[in-house]
DNA sequence: GTATGTACCTGCGGGC
DNA sequence: TGCCCGCAGGTACATA
């Protein structure tokens, strides 16, 4: 599932291979891919525009265009962005194609579960105003402390809340909490200063390692990079999808439960 | 303001 | 072998 490290990997690839180019043909075929505005309007507004840069806030991918607008993409559960030669066979569930000037590859949006979406918005990105600081490059210890204070939910629920910090999803939340030795149901009011510092440090460590490893590709292989290559961050996973396997830190077996409807993996012994 | 539950959707795996 | 059902999960929205 694309979370911050996966989206950042895609962003870096787009910035390297596509930024600076003009879009000469935009075609959307997915019924649900563009749902915040008219599909034809979306195609017309993108065609002829030059992408100045690719940015990312949380799990949102932002293409800054030369007319001041922004082309937004969220991959949600199963969305993929792929660069392929225009003549290459279309993968099943290909919902959009974008051809660029002077490029031998086109960008394709593939999304089996169709939760992913694209839209166009103003440069101020009003749809993202509710997001907390980006977990990779904006979050500070003071801001994390402030945004957790007065909240009474468990840490997992709060870390999944994009208004606390943007970018963490189900996989990396579990990994962060394991790294910090904190249980999913600990409440902010119970945290000592050193616990909060451990949590903050763990967010940085886990996300940086995952970005360096170019994201996580799990068994279902929902995520691959722009050229279809798998990431390697799953090699560093300590708890996610490891139910019944020994904790690498203490040897106890990794347990699984449900939190906010999400599968949650943790060590019952060394996460307190 | 905060917390919780649900809908959206398709592919896959387990059970029969 | 084939069918059916439940599960997986990010976000927006409704409800408490």
């Amino acid at each position: 599932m694309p979370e911050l490290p996966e989206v950042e990997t895609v962003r870096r690839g787009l910035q390297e291979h596509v930024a600076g180019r003009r879009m000469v043909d935009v075609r959307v075929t997915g019924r649900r891919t563009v749902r915040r505005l008219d599909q034809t309007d979306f195609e017309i507004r993108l065609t002829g525009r030059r992408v100045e840069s690719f940015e990312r806030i949380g799990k949102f991918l932002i293409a800054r265009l030369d007319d001041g607008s922004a082309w937004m993409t969220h991959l949600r559960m199963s969305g993929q962005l792929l660069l392929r030669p225009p003549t290459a066979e279309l993968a099943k569930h290909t919902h959009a194609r974008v051809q660029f000037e002077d490029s031998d590859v086109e960008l394709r949006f593939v999304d089996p579960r169709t939760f992913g979406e694209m839209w166009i918005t103003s440069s101020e990105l009003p749809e993202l105003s509710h997001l907390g600081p980006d977990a990779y490059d904006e979050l500070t210890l003071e801001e994390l402390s402030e945004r957790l204070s007065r909240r009474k939910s468990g840490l997992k629920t709060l870390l999944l809340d994009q208004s606390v910090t943007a970018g963490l999803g189900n996989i990396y939340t579990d990994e962060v909490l394991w790294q910090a030795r904190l249980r999913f149901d600990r409440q902010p009011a119970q945290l000592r200063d050193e616990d909060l510092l451990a949590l903050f440090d763990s967010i940085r460590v886990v996300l940086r390692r995952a970005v360096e490893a170019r994201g996580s590709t799990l068994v279902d292989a929902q995520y691959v990079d722009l050229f279809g290559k798998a990431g390697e961050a799953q090699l560093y996973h300590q708890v996610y999808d490891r139910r019944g396997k020994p904790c690498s830190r203490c040897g106890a077996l990794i347990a699984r439960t449900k939190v906010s409807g999400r599968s949650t993996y943790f060590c019952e012994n060394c996460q307190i």
Side-chain angles (χ1 to χ4, degrees), chain A residues 23-38:
Chain A
M23 293 175 274
V24 294
D25 192 23
V26 178
R27 293 182 195 182
V28 178
T29 52
R31 184 175 54 86
R32 284 168 40 83
T33 302
V34 174
R35 43 191 190 261
R36 302 192 191 205
L37 70 160
D38 179 77

Side-chain angles (χ1 to χ4, degrees), chain A residues 253-269:
Chain A
L253 300 185
I254 301 299
R256 184 183 124 157
T257 186
K258 284 259 186 183
V259 176
S260 299
R262 305 289 180 251
S263 291
T264 298
Y265 300 88
F266 66 107
C267 176
E268 286 184 291
N269 184 50

